[in-house]
Amino acid sequence: MAVPFPCGSVTAYVFAPVGASQRGTVLLVHGWNSEAAFMAAFAAPLREAGFRVVAFDLPAHGASTGRVLNLPLGVASLAAVARAFGPLHAIVTHSFGGAIALAALAGSVPGQPPVSAGRLAMIAAPSSIKQITRRFGAGIGLGRRGQAALERRIHVVAGNPVEAFEGPAQLAAIGVPTLVVHDRQDRELDFRHAEALAAAGSFVDLEETSGFGHRRILQAKPVIESVTRFVGSEER
């Protein structure tokens, strides 16, 4: 179904829980250059655990409208889906979807009320938008002035400087039970991102994997089982 948000609409996919139990709604958020289908391996076990599962294509991805995706657009679309299907028991994210979820939960985008969720699972998530931005700038040959201009543009578009979207600080402010899963062989986002997120507080559990990389981790049975257990846990 199409869920409208201020810049278009995103396509959401809803999976009812198996059986009569209704333990709440779990939102799946995919990453950059991906789509909701990439999170599909989590749907069946979460449904069998009694949860309604909602996945959606971020703007400019999958069947959703738009030509670009940035952090504010991602947050606005996630907030619209949360309003349509909330309250949310948990959010499960991959890669850039983790940065979007953190900004949405922390209320880091001005004018966008914070989203609420009881639990958060982040798979292969970045800890620092600033690091990602500077890696991107270096990759395309930006000098110091060019990098500064890029960060000023981010400030204009997002309504906050890039430093406002640092993962550990946002996660510490949110404070909900969090699971961070990251692979030692992730070549897109190295393991230090996971360690930085885990340092946000004792409410964060870090699980290390090996050999799955950045994308195959979404199909790894141990990861799917771990995320399902975490989402279904009643521990704080």
Side-chain angles (χ1 to χ4, degrees):
M1 64 174 290
V3 178
F5 78 109
C7 297
S9 66
V10 292
T11 301
Y13 310 87
V14 184
F15 306 90
V18 174
S21 61
Q22 175 73 280
R23 300 179 65 188
T25 298
V26 178
L27 181 62
L28 308 180
V29 187
H30 67 80
W32 193 272
N33 285 335
S34 183
E35 58 185 66
F38 283 71
M39 304 294 289
F42 295 94
L46 287 169
R47 290 179 63 224
E48 290 168 3
F51 294 101
R52 178 176 67 163
V53 178
V54 177
F56 73 104
D57 295 325
L58 286 164
H61 289 66
S64 294
T65 67
R67 293 187 175 183
V68 296
L69 172 64
N70 55 38
L71 204 56
L73 286 172
V75 169
S77 64
L78 189 156
V81 174
R83 286 192 296 271
F85 297 103
L88 301 179
H89 173 82
I91 302 177
V92 178
T93 75
H94 177 241
S95 193
F96 187 57
I100 291 171
L102 280 179
L105 289 165
S108 300
V109 175
Q112 183 65 61
V115 170
S116 296
R119 304 178 83 79
L120 174 64
M122 294 192 294
I123 304 165
S127 65
S128 171
I129 295 299
K130 187 169 187 175
Q131 287 183 33
I132 299 301
T133 301
R134 293 193 170 177
R135 179 180 173 183
F136 171 78
I140 63 174
L142 288 182
R144 185 172 60 184
R145 291 183 179 179
Q147 186 65 39
L150 174 61
E151 293 183 15
R152 285 196 298 272
R153 179 59 182 168
I154 291 172
H155 191 161
V156 170
V157 171
N160 257 330
V162 68
E163 290 82 4
F165 301 101
E166 290 299 285
Q170 291 179 114
L171 194 51
I174 298 162
V176 300
T178 301
L179 175 66
V180 173
V181 185
H182 212 105
D183 196 85
R184 280 284 182 183
Q185 281 73 53
D186 190 326
R187 294 183 179 180
E188 296 187 37
L189 292 168
D190 66 50
F191 195 75
R192 287 175 293 181
H193 285 277
E195 293 173 324
L197 290 170
S202 59
F203 58 91
V204 183
D205 290 330
L206 172 59
E207 292 197 7
E208 172 185 340
T209 66
S210 181
F212 299 132
H214 188 72
R215 298 188 183 275
R216 288 194 300 116
I217 195 170
L218 293 176
Q219 307 299 323
K221 185 177 179 180
V223 174
I224 294 166
E225 292 175 344
S226 179
V227 169
T228 302
R229 282 195 304 271
F230 169 76
V231 169
S233 173
E234 296 182 0
E235 295 182 2
R236 295 297 297 177

